[in-house]
Amino acid sequence: MKEERAYWLAWSQITGVGGLLLKRLQQHFGTLAEAWDAPISVLGEVEGFGGKLLVKVTEARSRSNPTELLAKHLQQNPNFWTPADPDYPRLLLEIPSPPPLLYYSGKFDPQENLGIKPLVGIVGTRQPTEHGKRWTKKISTTLAKHGFTVVSGMAAGIDTSAHIGCMQGGSRTIAVLGTGVDVVYPPSNRKLYEEIQQQGLILSEYPVGTRPDRGNFPARNRIVAGLCRAVLVMEAPQRSGALITARLASEFGRDVFALPSSPDNIQAQGCLQLINRGAYSIEGEEYLLEMLGTIPELDQDVQMSLFDQPSPPVNLSPELEKVYSAIASETLPFDLIIEKAGMEAGAVSAALLQLELAGLVSQLPGMRYQRA
């Protein structure tokens, strides 16, 4: 039997083939092993596989043996997951471009990967004020004491305060790096890196030895957003990577929160923008815990495959079934339901009303919907 993870590795080594195209391949062929053996003419039927990319695929397939490639890769990178592995984080499978390879170092918790233990992302500026640092530690410690795992990027500033506060609260924390899992960046966070390795988990989509590169850090933001049920922006100026994380979180159907501050605080003007655009305002610890408590639990049926979705109830019309399936097990905003269902706004609105009346869907503040 072909080892599917070997084909995730082989495909990911082809320049121009990323998470989005791999997801299309999987949907088209069922497995990446089948895609690897498919005729070039058939591969050309998949959106995104044009002439130049097909030439690269032909060259890669002629010189690469996926099984041998995996064996060699494991010598330097023994710890990584692919979407074919049962321990691959479940929520990452929902985003448009899940990382084909997710390397890890430290101790992973299967309950986090399955979504049983909720993850909350905390992000912000590398140059926070004392107000931002104090509230970040306060919030992350509170979340830790109430059973949440805090995810951040181990950057200087807000990220560092979030990781420290979470560990001080007695919980695990997860750092998502823009380098290999063996590279400490910034170097000043060496001690923090070692503590996270002992008490939590370090993740990256880049193989060991990967040095810091400016382009890697915005890309890692989608992993932070994708892993979490909610993202908190504690302090961020108008041009900040934290705002990219917040935008991605919103696109992925995650809740976004921002810490308000004085308009005079340049380092927090991005947070005010987020609140103006609909992000929840962090009005205190108890308020935040109450809001996070409205996030529905994922279906934890251990018999359910990571790739399976709950079946819709019988006797639904095709339109209702489309909308119901689009919501799946995650809370989604109205706009994203329209996109996933591929229907007009009016038709989606009418379908949601019928599903609410049938007791199958419930509406949350901010035009967000979840399965009842």
Side-chain angles (χ1 to χ4, degrees):
M1 180 180 176
K2 296 178 178 178
E3 189 173 2
E4 180 69 0
R5 70 198 312 253
Y7 291 88
W8 279 93
L9 172 63
W11 276 108
S12 71
Q13 303 302 297
I14 302 174
T15 303
V17 179
L20 179 60
L21 289 184
L22 289 178
K23 202 167 187 179
R24 290 176 184 169
L25 283 179
Q26 186 190 42
Q27 292 170 345
H28 188 89
F29 293 99
T31 69
L32 293 192
E34 290 293 327
W36 187 263
D37 294 331
I40 286 294
S41 59
V42 178
L43 279 175
E45 298 173 0
V46 180
E47 183 183 356
F49 281 84
K52 292 183 179 180
L53 185 54
L54 290 175
V55 170
K56 292 181 181 178
V57 172
T58 301
E59 293 174 351
R61 296 200 300 192
S62 66
R63 67 172 183 266
S64 299
N65 180 301
T67 302
E68 294 175 359
L69 185 65
L70 176 62
K72 185 177 180 180
H73 195 72
L74 285 169
Q75 293 175 8
Q76 291 187 318
N77 299 273
N79 299 319
F80 70 89
W81 299 303
T82 74
D85 298 318
D87 288 322
Y88 190 91
R90 177 174 174 176
L91 286 178
L92 276 184
L93 294 171
E94 298 180 357
I95 72 174
S97 57
L101 307 178
L102 188 62
Y103 302 92
Y104 65 92
S105 177
K107 302 173 183 177
F108 79 91
D109 182 345
Q111 289 196 324
E112 292 171 348
N113 290 25
L114 287 172
I116 298 172
K117 184 175 183 181
L119 309 183
V120 174
I122 296 183
V123 295
T125 178
R126 288 174 169 80
Q127 299 174 319
T129 64
E130 286 303 315
H131 168 81
K133 289 191 288 188
R134 182 177 70 254
W135 268 97
T136 299
K137 283 189 178 180
K138 189 175 183 180
I139 290 295
S140 58
T141 300
T142 298
L143 290 173
K145 290 179 177 179
H146 285 81
F148 293 90
T149 296
V150 169
V151 180
S152 197
M154 212 184 78
I158 292 297
D159 290 14
T160 295
S161 296
H163 291 305
I164 292 173
C166 183
M167 290 188 289
Q168 288 177 347
S171 186
R172 292 163 44 82
T173 186
I174 297 175
V176 183
L177 307 186
T179 63
V181 293
D182 61 329
V183 176
V184 180
Y185 184 80
S188 58
N189 268 347
R190 166 67 64 180
K191 184 173 183 293
L192 174 62
Y193 171 90
E194 293 171 351
E195 290 174 349
I196 295 175
Q197 267 198 323
Q198 292 297 316
Q199 301 184 42
L201 187 65
I202 295 171
L203 298 175
S204 174
E205 65 179 321
Y206 305 107
V208 297
T210 301
R211 308 303 301 175
D213 183 271
R214 175 177 290 184
N216 291 354
F217 294 96
R220 69 94 185 268
N221 292 345
R222 82 186 193 288
I223 300 177
V224 173
L227 283 169
C228 299
R229 309 297 300 282
V231 169
L232 281 54
V233 182
M234 301 305 295
E235 203 169 51
Q238 290 183 351
R239 301 173 71 91
S240 169
L243 300 186
I244 297 175
T245 309
R247 175 179 59 78
L248 291 168
S250 181
E251 291 176 0
F252 298 162
R254 296 1 179 190
D255 287 321
V256 176
F257 296 80
L259 181 70
S261 185
S262 167
D264 296 327
N265 180 5
I266 296 176
Q267 296 298 79
Q269 289 181 354
C271 292
L272 295 178
Q273 286 183 352
L274 288 174
I275 293 171
N276 287 336
R277 293 172 183 169
Y280 296 108
S281 173
I282 300 175
E283 299 175 9
E285 298 157 276
E286 294 302 320
Y287 169 81
L288 177 61
L289 290 171
E290 181 181 348
M291 293 299 292
L292 291 175
T294 66
I295 297 176
E297 293 184 3
L298 296 180
D299 185 346
Q300 302 308 330
D301 183 351
V302 294
Q303 300 299 320
M304 180 182 292
S305 160
L306 290 177
F307 296 97
D308 291 339
Q309 294 293 343
S311 299
V314 295
N315 299 326
L316 287 183
S317 69
E319 290 77 14
L320 294 183
E321 186 173 327
K322 272 187 181 180
V323 174
Y324 186 79
S325 297
I327 298 173
S329 57
E330 190 70 18
T331 304
L332 290 182
F334 181 70
D335 289 347
L336 193 55
I337 297 173
I338 293 173
E339 180 181 333
K340 293 185 72 173
M343 297 165 55
E344 295 292 331
V348 171
S349 179
L352 286 170
L353 178 57
Q354 292 183 59
L355 290 170
E356 280 190 81
L357 293 174
L360 297 174
V361 164
S362 58
Q363 183 179 354
L364 299 174
M367 288 289 286
R368 303 174 70 84
Y369 294 85
Q370 68 181 38
R371 290 189 178 185

Coordinates of all heavy atoms in Angstrom, one line a residue, residues 164-235:
I164 N 4.6 33.9 27.7 CA 5.0 33.9 29.1 C 3.8 33.9 30.0 O 3.7 33.1 31.0 CB 5.9 35.1 29.4 CG1 7.2 35.0 28.7 CG2 6.1 35.3 30.9 CD1 8.1 36.2 28.8
G165 N 2.8 34.7 29.7 CA 1.6 34.7 30.5 C 0.9 33.4 30.6 O 0.4 33.0 31.6
C166 N 0.8 32.7 29.4 CA 0.1 31.4 29.4 C 0.8 30.4 30.3 O 0.2 29.7 31.0 CB 0.1 30.9 27.9 SG -0.8 29.4 27.7
M167 N 2.2 30.4 30.2 CA 2.9 29.4 31.0 C 2.8 29.8 32.5 O 2.8 28.9 33.3 CB 4.3 29.3 30.5 CG 4.5 28.6 29.2 SD 6.2 28.3 28.6 CE 6.8 30.0 28.3
Q168 N 2.8 31.0 32.8 CA 2.6 31.4 34.2 C 1.2 31.0 34.7 O 1.1 30.8 35.9 CB 2.8 33.0 34.3 CG 4.3 33.4 34.2 CD 4.4 34.9 34.2 OE1 3.5 35.7 34.2 NE2 5.7 35.4 34.4
G169 N 0.3 30.9 33.8 CA -1.1 30.5 34.2 C -1.2 29.0 34.3 O -2.3 28.5 34.6
G170 N -0.1 28.3 34.1 CA -0.1 26.8 34.2 C -0.5 26.0 33.1 O -0.8 24.8 33.2
S171 N -0.6 26.6 31.9 CA -1.1 25.9 30.7 C 0.1 25.8 29.7 O 1.1 26.4 29.8 CB -2.3 26.6 30.1 OG -2.8 25.8 29.0
R172 N -0.2 25.0 28.6 CA 0.7 24.9 27.5 C 0.5 26.1 26.6 O -0.5 26.8 26.6 CB 0.4 23.6 26.7 CG 0.6 22.3 27.4 CD -0.1 21.2 26.7 NE 0.0 21.2 25.3 CZ 1.0 20.8 24.6 NH1 2.1 20.3 25.2 NH2 1.0 20.8 23.2
T173 N 1.6 26.3 25.8 CA 1.5 27.3 24.8 C 2.1 26.8 23.5 O 2.9 25.9 23.5 CB 2.2 28.6 25.2 OG1 1.9 29.7 24.2 CG2 3.7 28.4 25.4
I174 N 1.6 27.3 22.4 CA 2.1 26.9 21.1 C 2.7 28.0 20.3 O 2.1 29.1 20.2 CB 1.0 26.2 20.2 CG1 0.5 25.0 20.9 CG2 1.5 25.9 18.8 CD1 -0.7 24.4 20.2
A175 N 4.0 27.9 19.8 CA 4.6 28.9 19.0 C 4.7 28.5 17.6 O 5.2 27.4 17.3 CB 6.0 29.2 19.6
V176 N 4.2 29.3 16.7 CA 4.3 29.0 15.2 C 5.4 29.9 14.6 O 5.3 31.1 14.7 CB 2.9 29.3 14.5 CG1 3.0 28.9 13.1 CG2 1.8 28.5 15.2
L177 N 6.4 29.3 14.1 CA 7.6 30.0 13.7 C 7.6 30.3 12.2 O 7.0 29.5 11.4 CB 8.9 29.3 14.1 CG 9.0 28.8 15.5 CD1 10.4 28.2 15.7 CD2 8.8 30.0 16.5
G178 N 8.4 31.3 11.8 CA 8.6 31.6 10.4 C 10.0 31.1 10.0 O 10.5 31.4 8.9
T179 N 10.6 30.2 10.8 CA 11.9 29.6 10.6 C 11.7 28.1 10.8 O 10.6 27.6 11.0 CB 12.9 30.1 11.6 OG1 12.5 29.7 12.9 CG2 13.1 31.6 11.5
G180 N 12.8 27.3 10.6 CA 12.7 25.9 11.0 C 12.4 25.8 12.5 O 12.8 26.7 13.3
V181 N 11.9 24.7 13.0 CA 11.6 24.5 14.4 C 12.9 24.5 15.2 O 12.8 24.6 16.5 CB 10.8 23.2 14.6 CG1 9.4 23.3 14.0 CG2 11.5 22.0 14.1
D182 N 14.0 24.4 14.6 CA 15.3 24.3 15.4 C 16.0 25.7 15.4 O 17.1 25.8 15.9 CB 16.2 23.3 14.8 CG 16.6 23.6 13.3 OD1 15.7 24.2 12.6 OD2 17.7 23.2 12.9
V183 N 15.4 26.7 14.8 CA 16.0 28.0 14.7 C 15.3 29.0 15.6 O 14.1 29.2 15.4 CB 16.0 28.5 13.2 CG1 16.6 29.9 13.1 CG2 16.8 27.6 12.3
V184 N 16.1 29.6 16.5 CA 15.5 30.6 17.4 C 15.5 32.0 16.8 O 16.6 32.5 16.5 CB 16.2 30.5 18.8 CG1 15.6 31.5 19.7 CG2 16.2 29.1 19.4
Y185 N 14.3 32.6 16.7 CA 14.3 33.9 16.2 C 13.1 34.7 16.9 O 12.0 34.2 16.8 CB 14.1 34.0 14.7 CG 14.1 35.3 14.1 CD1 15.4 36.0 13.9 CD2 13.0 36.0 13.8 CE1 15.4 37.3 13.4 CE2 13.0 37.3 13.3 CZ 14.2 37.9 13.1 OH 14.3 39.2 12.6
P186 N 13.4 35.8 17.5 CA 14.7 36.5 17.6 C 15.6 35.7 18.6 O 15.1 35.0 19.5 CB 14.4 37.9 18.1 CG 13.1 37.7 18.9 CD 12.3 36.6 18.1
P187 N 16.9 35.9 18.4 CA 17.9 35.1 19.3 C 17.7 35.5 20.8 O 17.9 34.6 21.6 CB 19.2 35.6 18.8 CG 19.0 36.0 17.4 CD 17.6 36.6 17.3
S188 N 17.1 36.7 21.1 CA 16.9 37.0 22.5 C 15.8 36.2 23.1 O 15.7 36.2 24.4 CB 16.5 38.5 22.5 OG 15.3 38.7 21.7
N189 N 15.1 35.4 22.4 CA 14.0 34.6 22.9 C 14.5 33.1 23.1 O 13.7 32.2 23.2 CB 12.8 34.6 22.0 CG 11.8 35.6 22.5 OD1 11.9 36.2 23.6 ND2 10.8 35.9 21.6
R190 N 15.8 32.9 23.2 CA 16.3 31.5 23.4 C 15.8 30.9 24.6 O 15.3 29.7 24.6 CB 17.9 31.6 23.5 CG 18.6 30.4 24.0 CD 18.5 29.2 23.1 NE 19.1 29.4 21.8 CZ 19.2 28.5 20.9 NH1 18.6 27.4 21.0 NH2 19.8 28.8 19.7
K191 N 15.7 31.6 25.7 CA 15.2 31.0 27.0 C 13.7 30.7 26.8 O 13.3 29.6 27.3 CB 15.4 31.9 28.2 CG 15.0 31.4 29.5 CD 15.4 32.3 30.6 CE 15.1 31.7 32.0 NZ 13.6 31.6 32.2
L192 N 13.0 31.6 26.2 CA 11.6 31.3 26.0 C 11.3 30.1 25.1 O 10.5 29.2 25.4 CB 10.9 32.6 25.4 CG 9.4 32.4 25.0 CD1 8.6 32.1 26.2 CD2 9.0 33.7 24.3
Y193 N 12.2 30.0 24.1 CA 12.1 28.9 23.1 C 12.3 27.5 23.9 O 11.5 26.6 23.7 CB 13.2 29.0 22.1 CG 13.4 27.8 21.1 CD1 12.7 27.7 20.0 CD2 14.3 26.9 21.5 CE1 12.9 26.6 19.1 CE2 14.5 25.8 20.6 CZ 13.8 25.7 19.5 OH 14.0 24.6 18.6
E194 N 13.3 27.5 24.8 CA 13.5 26.3 25.5 C 12.4 25.9 26.5 O 12.0 24.8 26.6 CB 14.9 26.4 26.3 CG 16.1 26.5 25.3 CD 17.4 26.9 26.1 OE1 17.3 27.2 27.3 OE2 18.4 26.8 25.5
E195 N 11.8 27.0 27.1 CA 10.7 26.7 28.0 C 9.5 26.2 27.2 O 8.8 25.3 27.7 CB 10.3 28.0 28.7 CG 11.4 28.4 29.7 CD 11.1 29.8 30.3 OE1 10.2 30.5 29.8 OE2 11.8 30.2 31.3
I196 N 9.2 26.8 26.0 CA 8.1 26.3 25.2 C 8.3 24.8 24.8 O 7.4 24.0 24.8 CB 7.8 27.2 24.0 CG1 7.4 28.6 24.5 CG2 6.7 26.6 23.1 CD1 7.3 29.6 23.3
Q197 N 9.5 24.5 24.4 CA 9.8 23.1 24.1 C 9.5 22.2 25.2 O 9.0 21.0 25.0 CB 11.3 23.0 23.7 CG 11.6 23.1 22.2 CD 12.9 22.6 21.9 OE1 13.9 22.7 22.6 NE2 13.0 21.9 20.7
Q198 N 9.8 22.6 26.4 CA 9.5 21.7 27.6 C 8.0 21.7 28.0 O 7.5 20.6 28.4 CB 10.3 22.3 28.8 CG 11.8 22.1 28.6 CD 12.3 20.7 28.5 OE1 11.8 19.8 29.3 NE2 13.1 20.4 27.6
Q199 N 7.3 22.8 27.8 CA 6.0 22.9 28.3 C 4.9 23.0 27.2 O 3.7 23.0 27.5 CB 5.8 24.1 29.2 CG 6.7 24.2 30.4 CD 6.5 25.4 31.3 OE1 5.3 25.8 31.6 NE2 7.5 26.0 31.8
G200 N 5.3 23.0 26.0 CA 4.3 23.2 24.9 C 4.8 22.6 23.6 O 5.5 21.6 23.5
L201 N 4.5 23.4 22.5 CA 4.8 22.9 21.2 C 5.3 24.0 20.3 O 4.8 25.1 20.4 CB 3.5 22.3 20.6 CG 3.6 21.5 19.3 CD1 4.4 20.3 19.4 CD2 2.2 21.2 18.8
I202 N 6.2 23.7 19.4 CA 6.7 24.6 18.4 C 6.4 24.0 17.1 O 6.6 22.9 16.8 CB 8.2 24.8 18.6 CG1 8.5 25.5 19.9 CG2 8.8 25.6 17.4 CD1 10.0 25.5 20.3
L203 N 5.8 24.9 16.2 CA 5.3 24.4 14.9 C 5.9 25.3 13.8 O 6.2 26.5 14.0 CB 3.8 24.5 14.8 CG 3.0 23.6 15.7 CD1 1.5 24.0 15.5 CD2 3.2 22.2 15.4
S204 N 6.1 24.7 12.6 CA 6.5 25.5 11.4 C 6.2 24.7 10.2 O 6.2 23.5 10.2 CB 8.0 25.8 11.5 OG 8.5 26.4 10.3
E205 N 6.0 25.4 9.1 CA 5.8 24.7 7.8 C 7.1 24.6 7.1 O 7.2 24.1 5.9 CB 4.8 25.4 6.9 CG 5.1 26.8 6.5 CD 4.0 27.4 5.6 OE1 3.4 26.6 4.8 OE2 3.7 28.6 5.8
Y206 N 8.2 25.1 7.7 CA 9.5 25.1 7.1 C 10.4 24.0 7.7 O 10.4 23.8 8.9 CB 10.2 26.5 7.2 CG 9.3 27.6 6.7 CD1 8.6 28.4 7.5 CD2 9.1 27.7 5.3 CE1 7.8 29.4 7.0 CE2 8.2 28.7 4.8 CZ 7.6 29.5 5.7 OH 6.7 30.5 5.2
P207 N 11.2 23.3 6.8 CA 12.1 22.3 7.4 C 13.2 22.8 8.3 O 13.5 24.0 8.3 CB 12.7 21.6 6.1 CG 12.6 22.7 5.1 CD 11.4 23.5 5.4
V208 N 13.8 21.9 9.0 CA 14.9 22.3 10.0 C 16.0 23.0 9.2 O 16.3 22.7 8.0 CB 15.4 21.1 10.7 CG1 14.4 20.4 11.6 CG2 16.1 20.1 9.7
G209 N 16.5 24.0 9.9 CA 17.6 24.7 9.3 C 17.2 26.0 8.6 O 18.0 26.8 8.2
T210 N 15.9 26.2 8.3 CA 15.4 27.3 7.6 C 15.6 28.6 8.4 O 15.2 28.7 9.5 CB 13.9 27.2 7.3 OG1 13.7 26.0 6.5 CG2 13.4 28.4 6.5
R211 N 16.4 29.5 7.8 CA 16.7 30.8 8.5 C 15.6 31.8 8.3 O 14.7 31.6 7.5 CB 18.0 31.3 7.9 CG 19.2 30.4 7.9 CD 19.5 29.8 9.3 NE 19.9 30.9 10.2 CZ 20.1 30.7 11.5 NH1 20.0 29.5 12.0 NH2 20.4 31.7 12.3
P212 N 15.6 32.9 9.1 CA 14.6 33.9 9.0 C 14.6 34.5 7.6 O 15.6 34.8 7.0 CB 15.0 35.0 10.0 CG 15.9 34.2 11.0 CD 16.6 33.2 10.2
D213 N 13.4 34.7 7.1 CA 13.2 35.3 5.8 C 11.9 36.2 5.9 O 10.9 35.7 6.4 CB 13.0 34.3 4.7 CG 12.9 34.9 3.3 OD1 11.8 35.2 2.9 OD2 14.0 35.2 2.7
R214 N 12.0 37.4 5.4 CA 10.8 38.3 5.5 C 9.5 37.7 5.0 O 8.5 37.9 5.6 CB 11.1 39.6 4.8 CG 10.0 40.6 4.8 CD 10.3 41.9 4.1 NE 11.3 42.7 4.9 CZ 11.7 43.9 4.6 NH1 11.3 44.5 3.5 NH2 12.5 44.6 5.4
G215 N 9.6 37.0 3.9 CA 8.4 36.4 3.3 C 7.7 35.3 4.1 O 6.5 35.0 3.9
N216 N 8.5 34.7 5.0 CA 8.0 33.5 5.7 C 7.0 33.9 6.8 O 6.1 33.2 7.2 CB 9.1 32.7 6.4 CG 9.9 32.0 5.3 OD1 9.6 32.0 4.2 ND2 11.0 31.4 5.8
F217 N 7.1 35.1 7.3 CA 6.3 35.5 8.5 C 4.9 35.8 8.2 O 4.0 35.4 8.9 CB 7.0 36.6 9.3 CG 8.3 36.2 9.9 CD1 9.5 36.5 9.2 CD2 8.4 35.5 11.1 CE1 10.8 36.0 9.7 CE2 9.6 35.1 11.6 CZ 10.8 35.3 10.9
P218 N 4.6 36.6 7.1 CA 3.1 36.7 6.8 C 2.5 35.4 6.5 O 1.3 35.1 6.8 CB 3.2 37.6 5.5 CG 4.5 38.3 5.6 CD 5.4 37.4 6.2
A219 N 3.2 34.4 5.8 CA 2.7 33.1 5.5 C 2.3 32.3 6.8 O 1.3 31.6 6.8 CB 3.7 32.3 4.6
R220 N 3.2 32.5 7.8 CA 2.9 31.7 9.0 C 1.7 32.2 9.8 O 1.1 31.5 10.6 CB 4.1 31.7 9.9 CG 4.5 33.0 10.6 CD 4.0 33.1 12.0 NE 4.3 34.5 12.5 CZ 5.4 34.7 13.2 NH1 6.3 33.7 13.5 NH2 5.7 35.9 13.6
N221 N 1.3 33.5 9.5 CA 0.1 34.1 10.1 C -1.2 33.2 9.9 O -2.1 33.2 10.7 CB -0.1 35.5 9.7 CG 1.0 36.4 10.2 OD1 1.8 36.0 11.1 ND2 1.1 37.6 9.7
R222 N -1.3 32.7 8.6 CA -2.5 31.9 8.3 C -2.5 30.6 9.2 O -3.6 30.1 9.5 CB -2.5 31.5 6.8 CG -1.7 30.3 6.5 CD -1.6 30.1 5.0 NE -1.1 28.8 4.6 CZ 0.2 28.4 4.7 NH1 1.1 29.3 5.2 NH2 0.6 27.2 4.3
I223 N -1.4 30.1 9.6 CA -1.4 28.9 10.5 C -1.8 29.3 11.9 O -2.6 28.5 12.5 CB 0.1 28.3 10.5 CG1 0.5 27.9 9.1 CG2 0.1 27.1 11.5 CD1 1.9 27.3 9.1
V224 N -1.4 30.4 12.4 CA -1.9 30.9 13.7 C -3.4 31.0 13.6 O -4.1 30.6 14.5 CB -1.2 32.2 14.1 CG1 -1.8 32.8 15.4 CG2 0.3 32.0 14.3
A225 N -3.9 31.7 12.6 CA -5.3 32.0 12.5 C -6.1 30.6 12.3 O -7.2 30.4 12.9 CB -5.6 32.9 11.3
G226 N -5.5 29.7 11.5 CA -6.2 28.5 11.2 C -6.3 27.5 12.3 O -7.3 26.8 12.5
L227 N -5.3 27.6 13.2 CA -5.3 26.6 14.4 C -6.3 27.0 15.4 O -6.7 26.1 16.2 CB -3.9 26.7 15.0 CG -2.7 25.9 14.3 CD1 -1.4 26.3 15.0 CD2 -2.9 24.4 14.4
C228 N -6.7 28.3 15.5 CA -7.4 28.8 16.6 C -8.9 28.9 16.4 O -9.4 29.1 15.3 CB -6.8 30.2 17.0 SG -5.1 30.0 17.5
R229 N -9.6 28.9 17.5 CA -11.1 29.2 17.4 C -11.3 30.7 17.5 O -12.4 31.1 17.1 CB -11.8 28.5 18.6 CG -11.4 27.0 18.8 CD -11.9 26.2 17.7 NE -13.3 26.3 17.5 CZ -14.2 25.6 18.2 NH1 -13.8 24.9 19.2 NH2 -15.5 25.7 17.9
A230 N -10.4 31.4 18.0 CA -10.5 32.9 18.1 C -9.1 33.5 18.1 O -8.1 32.9 18.5 CB -11.3 33.3 19.4
V231 N -9.0 34.8 17.6 CA -7.7 35.5 17.6 C -7.9 36.8 18.3 O -8.9 37.6 18.0 CB -7.2 35.7 16.2 CG1 -6.1 36.7 16.1 CG2 -6.8 34.4 15.5
L232 N -7.0 37.1 19.2 CA -7.0 38.4 20.0 C -5.8 39.2 19.5 O -4.7 38.8 19.5 CB -6.8 38.1 21.5 CG -8.0 37.6 22.3 CD1 -8.7 36.4 21.7 CD2 -7.6 37.3 23.8
V233 N -6.2 40.5 19.1 CA -5.1 41.4 18.8 C -5.0 42.4 19.9 O -5.9 43.2 20.2 CB -5.5 42.2 17.5 CG1 -4.3 43.1 17.1 CG2 -5.7 41.2 16.3
M234 N -3.9 42.3 20.6 CA -3.8 43.1 21.9 C -3.3 44.5 21.7 O -3.7 45.4 22.4 CB -2.8 42.3 22.8 CG -3.3 40.9 23.1 SD -4.9 40.8 23.8 CE -4.7 41.7 25.3
E235 N -2.4 44.7 20.7 CA -1.9 46.1 20.4 C -1.2 46.0 19.0 O -0.4 45.1 18.8 CB -0.9 46.5 21.5 CG -0.8 48.0 21.5 CD 0.0 48.5 22.8 OE1 1.1 48.0 23.0 OE2 -0.5 49.3 23.5

